[in-house]
Amino acid sequence: MNGNRETNRLEAEGIEPMLERTPTVLLLDTSGSMAEATQATDGTSKPKIAQLNEGLETFHREVSEKEHAKKRVDVAVVTFGDEPFVTQEFTSIEDWTPSTLSEGGRTPMGGAIELAIELVDDRKEFYRENGIQYNRPLLWLLTDGEPTDMQPDDSAWNTVQGLLEDGTRNNRFEFFAMGVGGAQMDTLNELVAEPTGRPAFRIKEGMFLEYFQFLSNSLETASDPASGDSFTMGKEQQLEQLFQVE
Amino acid sequence: MADRRGDQDGEVSRVVGCSVPGPSHEEDDVRCQDAWYGDTCQDSRFVIAVGDGLGSATLSHEGSQLATEEAVSELKQCLEREESIDQQAMNRSMKRAFGVCKQTLTDRAAELEQPPEALNTTLLAAVAGPTGAAAAAVGDGGVVYHHEGTHNLLIPRERTEYANQTTPILSDHWEDSFRFGYRDDIEAVALFTDGLDPFVWDTDSGTSPRETFFDRVFSYIRSTRDWDAATEELCQFLNDELFREYSGDDKTIALGVLPRETAPTRVHDGGRRTVELFDRIRSWL
């Protein structure tokens, strides 16, 4: 007993922590255009898909090194190339081994967004059923093109916009869209800016690695209980280095 | 009225607590935004308040300190007007006290030429005595009572979908978040901020007090004989490596213990960190 009369001490040992989770979905474009080479910031020319895979490894490593994040972040991966696909179901970042992604197919972005939102809803239900506290889910989309499974104002487009708007308005998740390389930023902004209240960001050429470092820093903040509910995307200097103002 | 036979046989209420900065705030050189305050009345009743300043509020360390001191002052005045701790009366008094705290913060912000939100904070308060115990809260954290070997919530845990969401006292919706609880018999009570959340809630539902944690805390408070060391022990407990490793947030716990029999109390120190009121401790064991 920890209230011994002779040496009365209050001990914390053995009180196992129950930590809240921060669910994160990476929506990654793995369409055929990701085979094209671009110059990375280290000066080398590599296919975008190779830079994406390196970025995933960096993301995994950096989050795993952040004390509070590594114990709290749950990650899922949805790719969209041949078809929208759950490459990784939700798992803790500590149990995740990024798989090597390959490119191919078109850009079924709409289907991927719907799939990601469904994943998030199911995950929250899992948390609730198991008495697990959680933070607002974060969805990060990265594309080098534009959606090929929907067009502005068709029914699929309207459905996706409706989901994004509903999710944002009702605080069901936070959604971030990033374009890289040949991304059609006008189309991307038309899709996400109004429903999410946030524009799409263009990542500067070749900055895949830096994007995933930025992602890991953002998750460190998001999963830190001391930072409260006000999620910010990072310091202004970091944003200016990474994103190109349109 | 208790027999006043002097220090050797008396037993009085005890109020003790500690707030410590979390490692995340230490790294960023941010002041501890948690605060607590407590005081007693002459008939062994006591008042405790705990607050957690919002991370986004620039002066929330001052907000939590001001709110807890104001809450204790208001509630103590209320107790001095009332003979007993009555459920309905205390519900009204708590709400009134919280309203006064809200206004105090707003006035202070105006003095500092800052928006009121700069001092935003959660607030939890409890009063207890031989005739009952009552608690109220706006925001996260919790209040747990001890009675006949068991622990339970005196007020329900704040219900928000997300762990990092809370409704602070300067929110327009603070009254929606206002929770009140009452019991006519307790032996001790603990108030704490959400920096301790990973350790204080049960692992099944996350809505009940964790037995391991509160067994230790209440057992310690009931058996300690060195009250000079009690504050230090609580602070060391909150700064334990286990707690620091898994929670980077500021942490506060404040405890009040009722005597077995009513007895007059003597205020030794009305200071902010520790209010220890006792002539002699009778063994609880």
Side-chain angles (χ1 to χ4, degrees), chain A residues 1-3 8-13 15-18 68 71-72 124 134-136 171-172 224 228-229, chain B residues 24 161-165 198 202-204 210 216 219-220 223-225 233 236-237 240 242 246 248:
Chain A
M1 163 169 150
N2 296 95
N8 199 17
R9 299 303 308 277
L10 198 45
E11 304 283 353
E13 184 184 344
I15 302 177
E16 294 299 318
M18 195 171 82
H68 296 297
K71 299 180 178 79
R72 290 173 163 86
K124 291 200 286 186
Y134 57 93
N135 294 329
R136 185 182 300 124
N171 283 328
R172 287 170 55 202
D224 184 353
D229 185 34
Chain B
S24 294
E161 180 174 9
Y162 301 123
N164 54 1
Q165 277 181 326
D202 75 294
T203 54
D204 291 330
R210 182 100 60 101
R216 293 186 191 186
S219 173
Y220 171 78
S223 63
T224 191
R225 294 177 179 222
E233 187 67 18
Q236 284 185 2
F237 178 62
D240 191 279
L242 176 72
Y246 288 99

Side-chain angles (χ1 to χ4, degrees), chain B residues 24-56:
Chain B
S24 294
H25 285 171
E26 287 173 344
E27 282 169 18
D28 297 336
D29 204 24
V30 173
R31 293 175 65 168
C32 181
Q33 293 166 329
D34 276 13
W36 81 276
Y37 195 65
D39 205 351
T40 63
C41 302
Q42 293 203 352
D43 57 355
S44 79
R45 293 185 289 182
F46 62 77
V47 185
I48 303 175
V50 159
D52 178 0
L54 258 59
S56 55

